[in-house]
Amino acid sequence: MTHLAQKKIILGITGGIAAYKSAELTRRLKEQGADVRVVMTPGAKEFITPLTFQALSGNPVSDSLLDRDAEAAMGHIELARWADLILVAPASADFLARLSHGFANDLLSTLCLATSAPIAVAPAMNQLMWKNKATQANCHTLKQRGILLLGPNSGDQACGETGLGRMMEPDQLVSATASLLRNNDPQAGPLHGKKVVITAGPTREALDPIRFISNHSSGKMGFALARAALAAGAQTIIIAGPVYQETPNGAERINTVTAKGMYRASLEHAPSADIFIATAAVADYRPLQIAGQKIKKSAKQISIELTRNPDIIAAVAALPEKPFTVGFAAETNDLINYAKGKLQNKKLDLIVANDVARSDIGFNSDQNAVTVISADKHQNLAQANKDQIAEQLIKIIASAL
Ligand code: PMT
């Protein structure tokens, strides 16, 4: 019995020669006990007939957004709600572009907009179309939104070329779909029933109406942790400084600008949280006075007096019923000692030491490498992308809890 048993899957098929493999995919999903409803785009029907999928899935095939009979049987919103997962295989370059731009000009793209179920796409196209910057940018956007990209594989293509762009094989898609459903099953996650609050990104401290003091934090580490916490089944709140990160599906986002704003939001949500993770690079100081007008370039030298900002994580760790509190320590030298000092001074349960002197990890990079420090042990997490580091951190936090 896999995680596919009794799962309701919309299998979206778009126009591409790999559509013939989706017949086999339908059969395999059914074998695993899934209830499959096939939705075809007009392009898909040029390659394979709806009748094939109706016979294999045992369900009527949907192919039109504006079909009165189909809407009377199961309307598009109902279908979007019905699904535990939408799997689009093959996903053509055109479909990926429409999905990334939020189009709703056929039934399948509308379902993708109207669902709260996870979405996975299996791209299939000519290798140059796959490599094209437009396709890559669309895929990047989709990934940032939490849509899972399965493949493509590399190999010989129907057009006679060789390279990346082949749709994943049905067996591979079945096992990837099963693990996606397992990861998204909140009852199965180690943080099911827990509330996690995460701070992310920089803060900005105004000097005058147009200038501010800030730092290079992109929010990538914090948002990766939010995705990992959601995948572990947690109710997840992300308190973000000014960053350009997509909010993961299912997370609540609170936007803040200044350290004081982030402090207020954190102190509002942390008392009811089980876990508080502070990845934010909070400005330690802010200008004592914010000039009412733009500061003019007249004097040769000016001085700006700064005053201390509140320490958010120390305030959370001092709550009478404090959540499990995890800090990050960004250091350019003597990393472990400074990190241990912050663990003790701020009374944290864990601290994640981050060497920010390196340009390949830490601030604004897609990768990180950290040391997790608690009162009694150290654990090094080798360099990996921030999603992988976040997954490992969430596992460590869940077991420490
Ligand atoms: O956002 P990215 O580009 O992905 O980069 C990630 C990161 C490098 C910012 C992140 O991994 C990291 O190391 N974050 C901590 C940055 C930092 O400000 O460290 P710190 O050593 O100054 O602060 C220690 C801890 O206290 C941190 O958890 C910080 O969020 C917290 N703090 C600091 C000051 C303050 N006023 N309030 C706080 O809560």
Side-chain angles (χ1 to χ4, degrees), residues 203 205 256-265 282 286 309-310 312:
T203 63
E205 311 300 332
T256 61
V257 179
T258 61
K260 284 207 283 185
M262 191 175 271
Y263 177 86
R264 276 194 298 273
V282 185
R286 66 178 185 278
N309 267 326
I312 301 170

Side-chain angles (χ1 to χ4, degrees), residues 337-352:
N337 277 335
Y338 281 130
K340 277 184 176 167
K342 285 177 182 170
L343 179 80
Q344 283 162 8
N345 297 338
K346 299 187 187 221
K347 301 198 173 17
L348 311 181
D349 295 296
L350 277 184
I351 195 147
V352 182

Side-chain angles (χ1 to χ4, degrees), residues 166-374:
R166 280 170 63 94
M167 186 171 92
M168 268 182 144
E169 295 305 318
D171 275 348
Q172 293 177 298
L173 287 173
V174 169
S175 65
T177 306
S179 50
L180 174 63
L181 285 166
R182 189 182 54 243
N183 291 341
N184 275 278
D185 181 354
Q187 312 282 345
L191 294 184
H192 170 57
K194 304 285 181 212
K195 178 172 168 183
V196 179
V197 175
I198 300 167
T199 66
T203 63
R204 284 182 186 167
E205 311 300 332
L207 290 165
D208 68 13
I210 55 167
R211 302 186 182 94
F212 53 80
I213 300 173
S214 191
N215 59 65
H216 296 292
S217 173
S218 61
K220 286 178 186 170
M221 192 66 244
F223 278 71
L225 274 160
R227 287 189 287 274
L230 283 164
Q235 178 199 346
T236 305
I237 297 184
I238 183 143
I239 300 175
V243 291
Y244 302 97
Q245 300 292 328
E246 291 280 345
T247 310
N249 258 345
E252 183 186 340
R253 176 182 189 148
I254 298 162
N255 286 324
T256 61
V257 179
T258 61
K260 284 207 283 185
M262 191 175 271
Y263 177 86
R264 276 194 298 273
S266 299
L267 270 285
E268 184 183 337
H269 291 280
S272 57
D274 299 287
I275 301 167
F276 183 82
I277 309 176
T279 66
V282 185
D284 288 318
Y285 293 90
R286 66 178 185 278
L288 190 57
Q289 306 286 348
I290 303 174
Q293 305 294 333
K294 183 181 171 190
I295 300 169
K296 288 292 173 204
K297 191 174 62 178
S298 47
K300 225 176 175 163
Q301 228 177 316
I302 59 167
S303 300
I304 293 160
E305 215 178 332
L306 301 176
T307 182
R308 277 279 283 272
N309 267 326
D311 191 314
I312 301 170
I313 199 169
V316 169
L319 287 169
E321 298 216 7
K322 77 174 189 80
F324 187 85
T325 310
V326 182
F328 271 67
E331 302 293 349
T332 51
N333 62 303
D334 210 0
L335 178 64
I336 303 298
N337 277 335
Y338 281 130
K340 277 184 176 167
K342 285 177 182 170
L343 179 80
Q344 283 162 8
N345 297 338
K346 299 187 187 221
K347 301 198 173 17
L348 311 181
D349 295 296
L350 277 184
I351 195 147
V352 182
N354 213 157
D355 181 352
V356 289
R358 285 171 58 180
S359 61
D360 57 335
I361 58 169
F363 279 111
N364 202 16
S365 154
D366 289 334
Q367 304 242 318
N368 216 350
V370 297
T371 306
V372 186
I373 304 173
S374 62

Side-chain angles (χ1 to χ4, degrees), residues 129-149:
M129 289 172 78
W130 171 251
K131 272 193 215 149
N132 190 288
K133 282 188 180 153
T135 307
Q136 289 303 309
N138 292 332
C139 289
H140 180 73
T141 304
L142 294 175
K143 275 198 243 173
Q144 293 275 308
R145 286 190 198 141
I147 291 178
L148 183 67
L149 266 86

